[in-house]
Amino acid sequence: MEAATEFVVESPDVVYSPETIEAQYEYRTTSVSREGGVLKVHPTSTRFTFRTARQVPRLGVMLVGWGGNNGSTLTAAVLANRLRLSWPTRTGRKVGGRVGLGRREGYPPGWDISSLNLAEAMRRAQVLDWGLQEQLWPHMEAMRPRPSVYIPEFIAANQSARADNVIPGTRAQQLEQIRRDIRDFRFSAGLDKVIVLWTANTERFCEVIPGLNDTAENLLRTIQLGLEVSPSTLFAVASILEGCAFLNGSPQNTLVPGALELAWQRRVFVGGDDFKSGQTKVKSVLVDFLIGSGLKTMSIVSYNHLGNNDGQNLSAPPQFRSKEVSKSSVVDDMVHSNPVLYSPGEQPDHCVVIKYVPYVGDSKRALDEYTSELMLGGTNTLVLHNTCEDSLLAAPIMLDLALLTELCQRVSFCTDVDPDPQSFHPVLSLLGFLFKAPLAPPGSPVVNALFRQRSCIENILRACVGLPPQNHMLLEHKMERPGLKRVGPLATTSPVLCKKGSAPTAPNGCTGDANGHSQAEAPQMPTT
Ligand SMILES: NC(=O)c1ccc[n+]([C@@H]2O[C@H](COP(=O)([O-])OP(=O)(O)OC[C@H]3O[C@@H](n4cnc5c(N)ncnc54)[C@H](O)[C@@H]3O)[C@@H](O)[C@H]2O)c1
C-alpha cells in the first residue's frame, strides 16, 4: 500500500476552505495556588480558534556566513536533493535525500566576508565526499556571497585573512545595504517571503548598556551614530525592518533587548540562539533522563575538539566564552524542576572545554562525563564519545528552522475572551527544540528538555487541526473490558496476547485507533 501524503481531520470542530484550516480547540491546563500549607490545583480551560493559511508561499532563505561549512553544506544538500544526485563511496552509492524546500525555494543565497564562490567554499569545508563535490561544482561555481559587515573585534583575530568581501561605509550605510540586499533578492527571485539565518562566526558577547542597545529607539540611534553594534545585530535589525524573520544560529547575544523590542513593535519573528545539533542535544535528553529517574546529577564535564574554521574561531577566549555560556545553561530547567533532589540554588558542576585540532576538520569529537549520586552513597558515571561531521548535523536543523518559522507565520488564533486574531509572540519560543539556548518571551519559562520541546511543537500543530494533545495514556489498552468507542478501520484482533514486536504495522504508520502510536491494535484479552 502506498504511504499517505495527506491527512484530513473529520470533525465538526475543523473547517477546511481553499484558503484556510480553521479549528476549534479546548486548551486545558491548571493553575495552582497556595492556601496556608495546601497547594490548590484548579483545572482551567480556554477555547481557542486556530486559523492556518493553506497557501504555501514562495520562501527564500538568506544565510549570513553562506560560504562557511554550514552554509556551503546546506546549499550542497539542497542541490543534491533537487538534482537527484548519487555518488560512489567506499560503502556503495549514496543519494542526496531528505533535504528539500519543495517548491518554495531558491538555493539559499546570502552574505559572507569571504569572497570564495560556493564551490570553492564547499572544497574548503572538506565535509562532502569527493564524488559529490565534483558533481556539484558546476552548479555552485557561479554562486558568490554578497559582501558583508566585518567588524574585526567581534570575531577572532585568526579570521582576518578571510575578510576580503566587506561592505564599506558607516554602520547606517551598512544597514541600508543589507536591507537593499534583502529586497533585491526578494524581488529578483519573485519571493513572497524571506527568512534571514545567521550561520556566520560566533561573535563575542555585546555588553547590554542602557542608552546604547536596551531599547529599539536607542539601538537605531546607536546605528545612526556609528556606536558599538555587532554585525549580527545589524543583520537582525535589517531583517526586522524588512519584515523578515531573523534566526540566530550562533551563541552570541545578537538579539539584545533593543532588537527584541524592535521585533515586538514590527511583529516580526525572531528566534535563537545557537543550533542545538550534537553534544548539547544529547545533554538535553540525558540529564532529563537522569534527573527524571531520581539520579542526582552532580558533575557534567564536556570536552570537544574540532578542526574546522568554527573551531579556529572558538580558540579565541571571547568567542569561546559565548559558546561556553550557551552550552552551559542547557540543564537549568531540569535541575530547577526537581526541588526534591536539588535544594534552592544547588547546581551540578558543569564544565565545557573546546580545543582546536586542525587535523580532525569538521569531524568533531565530543566527550562527556556525567556523574550522578545514587542512594546510600553510590555514584553513577556515564561516559560518551561522539564523532560526527558537525555541519551535517547543523544543515538539516537550519532547514527545519526555516520551514517551521514559515509555517508559524501562517498561523493566527483568537480565544473566547480575546476574539481579535493574533499571532505567536515575536520571540518564537516554539523553535527552542532547535536551539541550544532558546529565547523565550519575557517572563516565560525556558524549556531545554528535548522531548518536552518536541511535544510542544507536535501538540501545537495538532491543535491547529483541532486534535487533542498527544497523551501517551493508551487507556484503551489498559482496560479489563474494552469500552472505548472506535472509529475507522482496525487491524484484525486476536484473542491471544501480542508478543513484543509482533503487532502489525500499517505502511503509513497511521491507521487504526492510533492515538499517535503507530501500532495501535484493539486491546487484547489475557489468556489463562
Ligand atoms: N555546525 C554545527 O553543528 C553548529 C552547531 C551550533 C552552532 N554552530 C555555529 O554556526 C556558526 C557557523 O558554523 P560553521 O561551522 O559554518 O562555521 P564557519 O567558520 O565554517 O562559517 C562561518 C562563515 O561566516 C563567515 N563570516 C564571519 N563573519 C561574518 C559576517 N560578519 N558576515 C558574513 N559572514 C561572516 C566566515 O567567513 C565563514 O565563511 C558558528 O558560529 C558555529 O558556532 C554550528
Side-chain angles (χ1 to χ4, degrees):
M1 195 195 296
E2 216 179 292
T5 52
E6 259 185 40
F7 70 91
V8 174
V9 177
E10 295 193 337
S11 153
D13 290 335
V14 185
V15 177
Y16 290 81
S17 74
E19 292 79 31
T20 60
I21 302 172
E22 191 171 303
Q24 303 296 321
Y25 179 77
E26 203 68 35
Y27 176 56
R28 295 200 165 87
T29 183
T30 48
S31 70
V32 181
S33 59
R34 182 187 286 273
E35 277 179 35
V38 181
L39 287 177
K40 300 221 162 163
V41 183
H42 314 271
T44 64
S45 178
T46 310
R47 190 141 182 96
F48 276 73
T49 304
F50 282 96
R51 193 168 292 123
T52 308
R54 301 181 73 181
Q55 178 69 43
V56 178
R58 279 185 61 81
L59 170 68
V61 182
M62 296 186 86
L63 305 180
V64 196
W66 188 23
N69 283 26
N70 288 350
S72 56
T73 303
L74 176 60
T75 306
V78 170
L79 280 172
N81 180 252
R82 190 185 309 160
L83 300 166
R84 308 217 177 289
L85 298 184
S86 74
W87 62 98
T89 70
R90 279 190 302 200
T91 54
R93 286 197 85 75
K94 303 285 176 204
V95 289
R98 164 146 159 44
V99 173
L101 287 168
R103 66 191 175 86
R104 302 177 220 202
E105 82 287 7
Y107 55 82
W111 302 263
D112 205 294
I113 55 169
S114 160
S115 62
L116 280 199
N117 70 52
L118 263 285
E120 287 169 333
M122 165 180 67
R123 178 178 290 171
R124 173 178 62 186
Q126 300 179 5
V127 174
L128 303 173
D129 283 333
W130 189 250
L132 177 58
Q133 287 193 36
E134 283 208 314
Q135 294 183 65
L136 286 170
W137 188 276
H139 301 279
M140 293 173 69
E141 209 176 357
M143 297 178 181
R144 293 195 174 272
R146 294 167 192 258
S148 190
V149 178
Y150 176 52
I151 310 178
E153 63 264 32
F154 277 93
I155 56 176
N158 59 36
Q159 298 296 306
S160 61
R162 284 171 94 99
D164 62 355
N165 193 36
V166 300
I167 306 176
T170 63
R171 299 287 171 258
Q173 288 167 335
Q174 290 169 331
L175 178 76
E176 281 312 309
Q177 182 57 50
I178 302 168
R179 294 186 63 178
R180 269 197 299 277
D181 287 343
I182 296 172
R183 284 198 296 268
D184 171 52
F185 174 55
R186 176 186 261 173
F187 295 122
S188 61
L191 301 168
D192 303 309
K193 287 181 186 174
V194 170
I195 291 174
V196 176
L197 176 54
W198 178 275
T199 181
N201 284 142
T202 296
E203 298 172 335
R204 70 159 164 79
F205 263 77
C206 198
E207 210 182 330
V208 175
I209 299 176
L212 192 80
N213 49 20
D214 56 334
T215 66
E217 196 185 345
N218 289 339
L219 180 58
L220 293 175
R221 195 179 47 238
T222 288
I223 295 170
Q224 291 309 317
L225 296 177
L227 303 176
E228 177 167 294
V229 59
S230 67
S232 62
T233 301
L234 265 186
F235 272 93
V237 169
S239 311
I240 295 165
L241 293 177
E242 287 304 313
C244 299
F246 176 86
L247 307 171
N248 178 29
S250 300
Q252 72 279 336
N253 61 339
T254 299
L255 292 160
V256 291
L260 292 176
E261 192 185 52
L262 191 65
W264 170 257
Q265 288 171 355
R266 305 280 173 140
R267 297 294 191 272
V268 174
F269 285 150
V270 291
D273 293 321
D274 206 5
F275 304 127
K276 179 147 91 169
S277 54
Q279 185 177 55
T280 310
K281 190 176 234 166
V282 173
K283 195 174 287 177
S284 70
V285 172
L286 207 54
V287 176
D288 193 33
F289 145 67
L290 288 166
I291 295 178
S293 313
L295 276 64
K296 184 179 180 183
T297 304
M298 291 305 289
S299 152
I300 307 165
V301 184
S302 297
Y303 169 90
N304 304 262
H305 64 265
L306 71 168
N308 56 16
N309 189 55
D310 184 29
Q312 189 176 23
N313 182 57
L314 293 174
S315 64
Q319 285 68 33
F320 165 69
R321 179 66 192 141
S322 298
K323 201 58 145 185
E324 188 184 34
V325 169
S326 134
K327 276 178 167 272
S328 300
S329 57
V330 67
V331 299
D332 291 354
D333 59 329
M334 301 160 222
V335 171
H336 295 150
S337 73
N338 199 325
V340 177
L341 286 182
Y342 296 93
S343 16
E346 195 180 13
Q347 288 275 2
D349 293 339
H350 193 171
C351 174
V352 177
V353 180
I354 303 177
K355 292 290 170 198
Y356 176 52
V357 179
Y359 184 77
V360 303
D362 200 66
S363 181
K364 182 158 107 183
R365 273 66 163 163
L367 288 76
D368 289 90
E369 186 194 88
Y370 299 82
T371 306
S372 310
E373 289 180 357
L374 304 175
M375 64 185 294
L376 302 176
T379 51
N380 172 300
T381 300
L382 274 169
V383 179
L384 258 68
H385 186 167
N386 181 229
T387 303
C388 188
E389 288 89 351
D390 222 17
S391 307
L392 295 180
L393 285 182
I397 289 177
M398 293 158 73
L399 206 53
D400 286 348
L401 277 168
L403 295 180
L404 203 49
T405 302
E406 189 285 309
L407 177 58
C408 289
Q409 289 172 333
R410 284 189 278 129
V411 175
S412 62
F413 49 88
C414 59
T415 64
D416 280 356
V417 284
D418 183 359
D420 276 349
Q422 55 174 301
S423 290
F424 293 116
H425 190 285
V427 179
L428 196 54
S429 56
L430 193 112
L431 303 177
F433 176 65
L434 300 157
F435 285 123
K436 277 195 194 62
L439 281 173
S444 324
V446 174
V447 178
N448 289 292
L450 190 81
F451 291 117
R452 271 186 251 174
Q453 294 173 324
R454 190 180 188 284
S455 74
C456 163
I457 296 176
E458 189 180 356
N459 288 330
I460 288 178
L461 296 185
R462 288 173 67 95
C464 290
V465 286
L467 294 176
Q470 184 53 267
N471 57 42
H472 303 294
M473 290 163 78
L474 287 177
L475 269 183
E476 61 275 33
H477 294 270
K478 296 177 174 63
M479 299 164 70
E480 213 176 329
R481 290 183 302 282
L484 293 187
K485 198 172 159 234
R486 294 176 163 277
V487 182
L490 283 178
T492 31
T493 59
S494 122
V496 292
L497 274 174
C498 226
K499 285 204 190 104
K500 198 173 167 190
S502 66
T505 314
N508 61 4
C510 301
T511 56
D513 190 4
N515 192 20
H517 293 260
S518 59
Q519 298 185 355
E521 262 202 301
Q524 308 298 316
M525 301 305 292
T527 50
T528 47

